[in-house]
C-alpha cells in the first residue's frame, strides 16, 4: 500500500506520464480542475502517476483548451508490504463500482475479473475499452480521496479470464514467498488469521487472492484452485457477497503491510 498523502486539503490530479518542469493535465482532469473546481492560475495542486510518483505544483497556464502545471521535485514512493492481486467473480451493477473503490483504498496492486461456471455477471461478455475506462474512473476517485499514489493494475479488454486460464497465469509466479488464498466456506477451510500466522516474519513477495461467485465454485473448479496452490480460507461464519468477501479478504491481509 502506498504512503498516505500528507496534504489532504490540496486538490489531486492523475497524470499518467509525470515529468518536470511542467505537464498538461489530461482532458478529463483539466475539465475537472477548470469547470468543476474552478481553480485559477497559481492554484497549488498535487499530481500522481498511479505508479508511485508524486509531486506538488502550481497551475501555470489555464485556458479553455488546457491546464498546464509547473512541476516541483518528483518523489517516488514504494508499496508497503506484499503486492496483493485480487481476482474475483464480477458482481452485478453498482456493487462492482463499490468493490473497485474499496479495493483501491485498501491498496490492491491488481484487479482481475474471472469467469466461473456459476458467474452471474460478466459471463460470456468481454470487458470492453469502455468498461475498462469506467473501472479506472472508480479507482481514480478512490485514490484521490485516500491520498494514494498507486492505482491497481487493470485488466485489458479481452477479460474476464476463464478460471483455468487465470490459474495457469497465476501459477507462473514461482516466487517461493508468494501465497495464494481462496475465499471459501467448506469444512476444510481454515480461518484467514490462522492461514497468515508467521507470514509477518517471512513477508511474502505477493499475495494472490481469489473470490468466486456467490453460488460458489464447482467441485471441479475448487479442486483446480487447490491443485494450483490456493489455500482455502474462511473469512467469516456466513456466506458473503462477492464484494464483501473481496474487501474482507483484502483487509485481512493488511496485517502483512506493517
Amino acid at each position: 500500500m502506498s504512503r498516505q498523502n500528507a496534504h489532504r486539503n490540496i486538490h489531486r490530479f492523475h497524470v499518467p506520464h509525470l515529468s518536470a518542469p511542467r505537464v498538461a493535465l489530461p482532458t478529463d482532469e483539466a475539465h475537472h480542475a477548470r469547470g468543476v473546481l474552478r481553480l485559477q492560475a497559481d492554484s497549488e495542486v498535487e499530481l500522481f502517476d498511479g505508479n508511485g510518483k508524486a509531486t506538488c505544483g502550481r497551475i501555470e497556464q489555464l485556458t479553455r483548451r488546457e491546464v498546464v502545471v509547473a512541476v516541483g521535485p518528483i518523489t517516488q514512493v514504494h508499496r508497503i508490504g506484499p503486492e496483493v492481486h485480487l481476482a474475483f467473480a464480477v458482481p452485478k451493477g453498482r456493487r462492482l463500482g463499490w468493490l473497485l473503490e474499496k479495493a483501491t483504498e485498501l491498496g490492491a496492486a491488481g484487479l482481475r475479473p474471472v469467469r466461473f461456471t456459476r458467474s452471474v455477471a460478466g459471463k460470456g461478455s468481454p470487458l470492453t475499452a469502455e468498461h475498462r475506462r469506467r473501472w479506472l474512473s472508480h479507482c481514480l476517485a478512490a485514490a484521490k480521496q485516500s491520498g494514494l499514489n498507486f492505482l491497481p493494475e487493470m485488466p485489458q479488454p479481452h477479460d474476464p479470464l476463464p478460471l483455468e486460464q487465470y490459474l495457469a497465469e497465476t501459477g507462473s509466479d514461482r516466487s517461493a514467498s508468494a501465497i495464494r488464498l481462496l475465499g471459501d466456506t467448506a469444512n476444510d477451510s481454515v480461518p484467514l488469521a490462522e492461514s497468515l500466522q508467521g507470514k509477518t516474519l517471512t513477508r511474502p513477495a505477493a499475495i494472490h487472492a481469489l473470490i468466486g461467485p456467490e453460488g460458489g465454485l464447482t467441485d471441479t473448479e475448487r479442486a483446480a484452485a487447490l491443485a494450483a496452490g490456493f489455500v482455502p480460507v474462511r473469512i467469516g461464519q456466513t456466506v458473503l457477497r462477492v464484494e464483501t468477501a473481496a474487501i474482507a479478504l483484502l483487509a485481512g491481509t493488511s496485517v502483512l503491510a506493517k
Side-chain angles (χ1 to χ4, degrees):
M1 189 181 298
S2 70
R3 194 175 304 162
Q4 189 175 33
N5 197 291
H7 305 285
R8 297 293 298 278
N9 60 326
I10 300 175
H11 295 293
R12 307 183 75 230
F13 298 93
H14 176 242
V15 180
H17 306 290
L18 185 56
S19 60
R22 57 185 54 81
V23 64
L25 297 185
T27 301
D28 289 350
E29 295 286 72
H31 170 74
H32 188 66
R34 180 181 57 247
V36 179
L37 299 176
R38 305 288 185 181
L39 298 183
Q40 302 295 321
D42 205 41
S43 294
E44 186 176 1
V45 296
E46 291 187 358
L47 308 177
F48 71 106
D49 70 349
N51 292 306
K53 289 183 179 179
T55 185
C56 291
R58 290 187 180 276
I59 295 179
E60 183 178 76
Q61 181 180 348
L62 190 148
T63 69
R64 294 182 62 183
R65 301 184 61 180
E66 65 178 2
V67 176
V68 177
V69 177
V71 174
I74 297 174
T75 60
Q76 174 73 55
V77 298
H78 301 281
R79 291 183 183 275
I80 301 173
E83 291 190 355
V84 183
H85 298 272
L86 174 67
F88 55 92
V90 179
K92 286 185 176 180
R94 295 182 179 180
R95 291 162 52 195
L96 172 59
W98 188 89
L99 186 158
L100 297 171
E101 291 173 5
K102 303 311 173 187
T104 300
E105 291 177 26
L106 288 168
L111 298 171
R112 175 58 62 91
V114 174
R115 188 167 71 247
F116 298 82
T117 300
R118 295 169 179 160
S119 291
V120 295
K123 185 176 181 179
S125 58
L127 180 70
T128 66
E130 176 59 22
H131 285 131
R132 190 177 189 276
R133 186 194 67 77
R134 291 202 301 266
W135 281 43
L136 182 58
S137 69
H138 285 290
C139 297
L140 272 174
K144 289 180 182 180
Q145 180 67 31
S146 302
L148 297 173
N149 292 322
F150 288 96
L151 290 170
E153 294 178 2
M154 300 295 292
Q156 295 304 314
H158 59 73
D159 285 330
L161 283 181
L163 176 63
E164 58 270 22
Q165 185 177 343
Y166 164 75
L167 294 176
E169 290 188 3
T170 306
S172 65
D173 182 358
R174 297 299 182 182
S175 170
S177 63
I179 62 175
R180 297 167 177 80
L181 303 174
L182 169 66
D184 196 40
T185 58
N187 292 333
D188 62 342
S189 61
V190 298
L192 176 59
E194 181 180 322
S195 72
L196 296 178
Q197 284 182 358
K199 298 298 192 301
T200 54
L201 298 177
T202 57
R203 193 65 65 86
I207 298 173
H208 299 282
L210 177 62
I211 297 293
E214 285 153 26
L217 278 66
T218 65
D219 291 342
T220 300
E221 289 173 332
R222 188 176 188 274
L226 268 57
F230 279 83
V231 176
V233 295
R234 187 166 59 253
I235 304 169
Q237 300 302 317
T238 59
V239 176
L240 304 176
R241 282 185 164 183
V242 171
E243 68 276 17
T244 309
I247 299 312
L249 185 52
L250 282 174
T253 61
S254 65
V255 66
L256 303 181
K258 292 181 179 179

